[in-house]
Amino acid sequence: MLPTLPTWAWTMNLGAQPGSHQDTYRFNPWRAPGSAPVTDACGTAGGTSPSQRGPGDAIYADTPFATMGDRGSKVLAPAPSGVIWSAGQKVEVWWGIRFNHGGGYQYRLCPAHAPLTEECFQKLPLEFVRDQQQLQWNNGTTLSINGTFVDTGTLPTGSTWARNPIPRIDFDSTSSGQPSGWTGCKMEGGVPVGPGCRQFDPPCSWDLSLIHI
């Protein structure tokens, strides 16, 4: 899949020439929102099958609900919340980051009586309330921010995706797909230093001081 995302919505290597050898993220999912292959519309336990298990710290622990490779649409039991949404209603939803690799997101619905497939969810993407995006801290404090929304080059065609508003912070100039010869980020006393460490300006003005420029 060729990249379709406008450059102003990129989250990694923002200074690279689009399509060049330095554009190292051009084939990542966010560069063509909605086009990446999906194993299961409700997720795959561990992100892959046991045969594809790789090294590293992100190790999946089997639970009574799922083992690695299980597909969510098959093993997760319905869990009705009792909440009722009406068509056209504005609702509040949340998501969180544990490891920040950039990218973006979209919310979709699929009728409860229908098979939970990617095709079903693609039929009903939800629109964002674009002037009501917020960050929330663990203590419940919130901050209203200006979101970045994309509705060109997306699938379903014309649907809206939102960019992850939190910039990735790199720790050096080579560890996260930066192009060869990239400089501008290094570790000093355990702190990432340099403008190249921050992929884009954070939504919180006080965070600008955390990465020395």
Side-chain angles (χ1 to χ4, degrees), residues 48-67:
T48 188
S49 64
S51 63
Q52 299 296 317
R53 186 191 300 267
D57 294 330
I59 299 173
Y60 181 78
D62 293 343
T63 73
F65 306 102
T67 59

Side-chain angles (χ1 to χ4, degrees), residues 130-212:
R130 300 194 182 200
D131 61 352
Q132 294 185 24
Q133 192 172 40
Q134 292 184 324
L135 300 180
Q136 178 169 304
W137 280 259
N138 289 340
N139 64 4
T141 300
T142 61
L143 174 72
S144 295
I145 62 173
N146 294 319
T148 299
F149 302 96
V150 183
D151 49 25
T152 58
T154 59
L155 283 180
T157 302
S159 65
T160 304
W161 289 67
R163 185 178 76 167
N164 171 3
I166 307 299
R168 178 182 173 86
I169 302 300
D170 293 328
F171 299 113
D172 55 43
S173 295
T174 60
S175 63
S176 297
Q178 295 93 329
S180 59
W182 175 256
T183 59
C185 180
K186 60 182 179 180
M187 290 290 285
E188 289 186 359
V191 177
V193 177
C197 299
R198 185 178 60 237
Q199 294 295 329
F200 53 89
D201 287 340
C204 307
S205 59
W206 57 85
D207 282 341
L208 290 169
S209 63
L210 298 182
I211 305 298
H212 306 295

Side-chain angles (χ1 to χ4, degrees), residues 87-103:
Q89 177 186 0
K90 296 178 182 179
V91 298
E92 190 174 75
V93 293
W94 303 88
W95 66 280
I97 304 172
R98 184 164 185 177
F99 297 104
N100 191 357
H101 293 161

